[in-house]
Amino acid sequence: MGPGRETLPGVDWGESPKGGRGGNVHMGIPLIYFLIVINRNGVQQRRNSFEDGVSGTTCPIPPGKNFTYILQVKDQIGSFYYFPSLAFHKSAGGFGGIKILSRPRIPVPFPEPAGDFTLLIGDWYQHDHSVLKTLLDRGHRLPFPDGVLINGRGTTTNKASFTVEQGKTYRFRISNVGLQNSLNFRIQGHQMKLVEVEGTHTVQTSYSSIDVHVGQSVSVLVTMDQPAQDYYVVASTRFTRKVLTTTATLHYSNSARPVSGPIPGGPTTQIDWSINQARSIRTNLTASGPRPNPQGSYHYGMINISRTIKLESSAGQVNRRQRYAINGVSFVQADTPLKLADYFNISGVFRVGSIPDIPTGGRNIRLDTSVMGADYRAFVEIVFQNHENIIQSYHIDGYSFWVVGMNGGVWTPASRSEYNLRDAVSRCTTQVYPKSWTAIYMALDNVGMWNVRSEFWARQYLGQQFYLRVYTPVKSVRDEYPIPKNALLCGRAKGKHTRSP
């Protein structure tokens, strides 16, 4: 599992060039060695959390078998990725980029680039995933990573390379698929124009380097306007005492000389630099989204909030073992996927309301299979409060949300005066800076059982996650699809029928 490990190729998901309606996307993932579940980070699985690919919704694929995920992406565009979500398999690789393409008839707010590259960047550990899992199971913390990889390769003679033609513009889709470290990305001598963030076309701002936090994906356009030679492509860790750096090569097809000069430096521990950049990322209100209406026509800032949820992270010992929690509750896996237990009315698997809307204020951490209930079509405000000295990253399956505000200190209702209620970026993963808060608005328009998690994978594994049950008593296929006919059944759902329970 060292540098040179292979990542799975990117997948283009969109309509055919002829502009047909398209259909469901089938993604079969064969398995050889162990139980596995595949999650598509940011793909919303509209009305279909059965196919979400996390342990709370989907049974693992048995050894030697395969499973076809059936999903529809007609209401999304943009850059995402997939990864194995069970246990600590994420550290073993198996990532792939996902490109959801716009329909040919819908205009994109920039000219067609000459090429499209997927870059999967992330921290890397030389230990096998089972070794890292054992460390965590024995109560230890995850050690500092051994390096950073770009498309599964480090800074070696076999490092990644991207060939371009002088004078042309290319799209780079960059995803941080690592376990815990924010990364800064840059290309020697070139400016990057940000055009898309996890399915949202952005105001086209140019950056010399850009922070990509764990679980996040961004798209930039880069024009090859420099002398014909090779240049460094760089990813380096942020907010770490020791800075880890890796490089790939940008190769001009008519290059006159190899890469040379010092590796361009980037920001290291500067929090203000990062938060100011994050605030500068805005939604392009004049651009179309997956449908031919402006993506900015949804005036989220004019909708009344029906509920405020405040989520605080914490760390501590439970039974002399390291655990992490949200609002004092550290998640423990059930013996049956929660979505199946909900569908088949299997009692005793989970309890709605087992995690509170606001922190309890105590320091004790308790273990539970935490599920928070929510009403379909509610419009909620969620505040992530970080009292720790580390940056954090949170993801919500099934949704994108508006990142309306972030700042240092403790959030209070008065903090709403700082919100961007016009053109905040909409995405599915947000960072929370040290000793800071981040606030989001979210329209609960997707029925299902959805994972809310830390993207720091050791924290997620040791309990910093829960499930949001978005519920409606109306049983209609307009609100939620039936259970898939090929659904795997396990735990107490084994032997049930996939038709109406």
Side-chain angles (χ1 to χ4, degrees):
M1 201 195 76
R5 73 184 183 195
E6 293 300 322
T7 54
L8 301 180
V11 181
D12 290 346
W13 289 356
E15 293 192 312
S16 65
K18 295 182 181 180
R21 290 182 59 85
N24 290 336
V25 177
H26 297 254
M27 184 172 129
I29 304 294
L31 175 75
I32 299 175
Y33 299 112
F34 41 68
L35 296 169
I36 197 169
V37 172
I38 301 293
N39 179 257
R40 279 80 41 193
N41 217 60
V43 177
Q44 293 177 14
Q45 312 291 147
R46 303 293 301 177
R47 298 184 289 169
N48 195 12
S49 63
F50 291 106
E51 302 274 16
D52 194 37
V54 288
S55 61
T57 62
T58 311
C59 294
I61 307 169
K65 304 294 183 180
N66 63 68
F67 179 75
T68 299
Y69 291 99
I70 303 173
L71 42 143
Q72 191 177 65
V73 294
K74 70 175 183 179
D75 289 332
Q76 282 191 268
I77 58 169
S79 308
F80 310 95
Y81 68 93
Y82 59 89
F83 69 97
S85 65
L86 199 64
F88 222 68
H89 298 161
K90 188 180 183 185
S91 67
F95 315 106
I98 298 174
K99 309 172 188 177
I100 305 180
L101 310 177
S102 295
R103 297 182 182 185
R105 67 176 68 90
I106 298 178
V108 175
F110 48 85
E112 181 75 17
D116 195 320
F117 297 108
T118 294
L119 287 83
L120 306 177
I121 63 176
D123 49 25
W124 166 75
Y125 295 78
Q126 66 178 355
H127 296 293
D128 182 82
H129 71 92
S130 60
V131 174
L132 296 176
K133 178 178 177 294
T134 300
L135 282 173
L136 297 174
D137 289 342
R138 291 178 177 175
H140 301 290
R141 300 190 182 195
L142 199 66
F144 191 71
D146 296 291
V148 174
L149 302 183
I150 299 177
N151 284 2
R153 300 178 181 182
T155 305
T156 65
T157 55
N158 192 36
K159 64 183 178 182
S161 181
F162 307 94
T163 300
V164 296
E165 294 186 29
Q166 193 174 30
K168 294 186 177 180
T169 298
Y170 294 80
R171 183 173 184 171
F172 290 78
R173 301 174 189 257
I174 308 150
S175 297
N176 186 337
V177 298
L179 296 183
Q180 67 177 12
N181 287 104
S182 298
L183 299 177
N184 182 265
F185 181 85
R186 52 203 181 272
I187 300 176
Q188 182 184 23
H190 293 74
Q191 289 288 301
M192 300 177 294
K193 183 183 291 183
L194 184 67
V195 295
E196 179 254 332
V197 169
E198 294 158 28
T200 298
H201 291 305
T202 62
V203 173
Q204 296 180 14
T205 304
S206 292
Y207 303 97
S208 57
S209 71
I210 189 166
D211 282 350
V212 186
H213 304 280
V214 182
Q216 292 185 343
S217 298
V218 302
S219 281
V220 297
L221 296 180
V222 182
T223 299
M224 306 305 149
D225 54 4
Q226 298 300 304
Q229 64 175 68
D230 291 356
Y231 296 89
Y232 286 114
V233 176
V234 188
S236 61
T237 55
R238 290 284 268 124
F239 317 114
T240 57
R241 292 181 180 178
K242 178 183 178 181
V243 178
L244 300 177
T245 302
T246 194
T247 64
T249 301
L250 183 71
H251 172 68
Y252 278 42
S253 60
N254 59 339
S255 175
R257 62 175 183 171
V259 66
S260 61
I263 297 172
T268 54
T269 60
Q270 303 92 328
I271 294 174
D272 287 347
W273 187 97
S274 186
I275 196 170
N276 287 335
Q277 183 179 82
R279 288 170 174 164
S280 73
I281 301 174
R282 304 293 182 94
T283 294
N284 185 343
L285 297 182
T286 64
S288 291
R291 296 181 179 180
N293 60 299
Q295 60 183 8
S297 64
Y298 191 95
H299 299 295
Y300 67 91
M302 300 177 66
I303 302 174
N304 291 328
I305 299 167
S306 57
R307 179 179 177 187
T308 295
I309 300 168
K310 187 176 181 181
L311 305 177
E312 285 189 1
S313 64
S314 60
Q317 299 279 316
V318 178
N319 299 326
R320 292 185 291 183
R321 297 288 179 87
Q322 181 66 44
R323 296 294 299 186
Y324 298 95
I326 297 176
N327 288 2
V329 185
S330 186
F331 184 85
V332 291
Q333 301 289 350
D335 60 3
T336 304
L338 310 185
K339 182 60 184 174
L340 296 183
D342 202 20
Y343 181 80
F344 290 115
N345 294 318
I346 302 172
S347 62
V349 176
F350 69 90
R351 178 177 61 86
V352 176
S354 47
I355 180 172
D357 280 22
I358 59 175
T360 57
R363 294 186 178 182
N364 292 333
I365 292 175
R366 64 180 176 87
L367 305 179
D368 206 337
T369 303
S370 40
V371 176
M372 182 180 292
D375 294 330
Y376 182 44
R377 298 195 183 283
F379 191 77
V380 300
E381 172 188 48
I382 300 177
V383 178
F384 296 97
Q385 180 69 60
N386 180 10
H387 294 298
E388 301 181 69
N389 286 318
I390 63 167
I391 189 171
Q392 299 185 359
S393 185
Y394 286 96
H395 173 86
I396 301 179
D397 278 350
Y399 287 93
S400 60
F401 46 74
W402 291 275
V403 184
V404 294
M406 55 178 63
N407 209 341
V410 176
W411 181 92
T412 67
S415 302
R416 294 182 180 128
S417 64
E418 306 173 30
Y419 285 3
N420 175 1
L421 299 181
R422 182 176 181 270
D423 61 353
V425 70
S426 177
R427 64 189 319 164
C428 61
T429 306
T430 186
Q431 69 274 29
V432 190
Y433 292 96
K435 301 288 186 178
S436 301
W437 57 266
T438 294
I440 66 173
Y441 279 179
M442 189 165 71
L444 299 183
D445 58 358
N446 195 11
V447 173
M449 186 78 70
W450 304 108
N451 190 226
V452 181
R453 62 176 177 265
S454 169
E455 285 286 2
F456 284 23
W457 215 245
R459 287 180 167 243
Q460 180 273 156
Y461 178 71
L462 293 178
Q464 207 160 77
Q465 60 171 309
F466 67 93
Y467 282 82
L468 185 69
R469 180 182 183 252
V470 181
Y471 177 77
T472 175
V474 179
K475 304 298 182 183
S476 169
V477 294
R478 293 177 300 177
D479 298 332
E480 185 173 32
Y481 292 133
I483 188 171
K485 292 181 179 179
N486 69 332
L488 298 172
L489 301 179
C490 56
R492 284 187 259 175
K494 195 170 184 178
K496 300 285 186 178
H497 298 289
T498 55
R499 300 185 183 277
S500 298

